């Protein structure tokens, strides 16, 4: 059984945060919200999340800068961009910074739920592979010590 996924929504528009929070809570996720990149980093330092939904255009630290910081500090967190100002350049930048998905506002709740579900599946698969590799490496070390 999987643990309840924790999702961070980062958008400088409070109404967007409220709407996304409602959609995601109905899906059974634990949801945190932040209205700036700096606030998101403070929240993540206290409570890491499985997936972050990020706006691109925010005052101060923009979404790409936030993605870069999140990727360095919490590399296993899945990142999804949700922006009202989509361009080819910003989409390519987001993908370069490791975004799992790039959605345009307004996106339907179904599209958001699908992106989040697929992003979380990707995260859990990656974590399972890491755990399996760690177990295999431990078994090989144990065999090497005991075998001759």
């Amino acid at each position: 059984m999987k643990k309840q996924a924790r999702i961070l929504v980062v958008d400088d528009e409070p109404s967007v945060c409220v709407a996304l929070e409602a959609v995601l809570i109905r899906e059974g996720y634990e949801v945190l919200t932040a209205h700036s990149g700096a606030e998101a980093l403070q929240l993540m330092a206290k409570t890491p999340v499985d997936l972050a939904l990020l706006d691109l255009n925010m005052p101060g630290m923009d979404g790409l800068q936030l993605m870069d910081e999140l990727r360095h500090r919490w590399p296993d967190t899945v990142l999804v961009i949700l922006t009202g100002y989509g361009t080819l350049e910003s989409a390519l930048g987001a993908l370069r910074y490791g975004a799992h998905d790039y959605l345009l506002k307004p996106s339907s709740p179904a599209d958001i739920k699908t992106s989040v579900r697929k992003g979380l599946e990707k995260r859990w698969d990656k974590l399972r592979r890491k755990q399996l590799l760690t177990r295999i490496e431990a078994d090989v070390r144990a065999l090497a010590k005991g075998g001759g």
Side-chain angles (χ1 to χ4, degrees):
M1 177 195 267
K2 292 179 184 162
K3 70 177 183 74
Q4 180 184 30
R6 184 178 298 133
I7 298 171
L8 173 62
V9 175
V10 186
D11 199 301
D12 60 323
E13 296 178 47
S15 61
V16 172
C17 286
V18 168
L20 290 171
E21 182 178 32
V23 167
L24 296 169
I25 286 173
R26 276 196 302 274
E27 290 300 300
Y29 302 120
E30 179 183 343
V31 181
L32 305 172
T33 60
H35 302 291
S36 70
E39 184 182 355
L41 292 174
Q42 289 174 348
L43 277 172
M44 284 285 289
K46 294 177 189 169
T47 312
V49 300
D50 300 300
L51 182 141
L53 266 168
L54 312 173
D55 185 19
L56 276 184
N57 289 25
M58 297 182 288
M61 180 184 294
D62 70 23
L64 290 179
Q65 292 168 320
L66 178 58
M67 280 186 69
D68 189 38
E69 190 66 29
L70 291 173
R71 179 67 48 228
H72 283 88
R73 291 163 90 179
W74 298 279
D76 291 330
T77 299
V78 175
L79 305 173
V80 174
I81 294 295
L82 182 61
T83 183
Y85 303 96
T87 64
L88 180 58
E89 183 179 305
S90 67
L92 291 173
L95 293 174
R96 263 188 241 110
Y97 280 106
H100 161 72
D101 205 352
Y102 185 94
L103 302 172
L104 296 175
K105 292 178 191 173
S107 282
S108 72
D111 288 343
I112 292 166
K113 291 186 284 189
T114 297
S115 180
V116 167
R117 181 180 45 76
K118 287 181 178 179
L120 290 170
E121 287 171 0
K122 176 182 170 181
R123 174 183 164 80
W124 289 321
D125 286 345
K126 183 179 177 181
L127 292 175
R128 275 193 296 271
R129 282 192 304 272
K130 275 184 169 180
Q131 290 171 345
L132 182 58
L133 185 57
T134 300
R135 266 189 267 146
I136 290 170
E137 289 170 346
D139 289 348
V140 167
R141 279 192 303 275
L143 287 171
K145 282 182 181 179

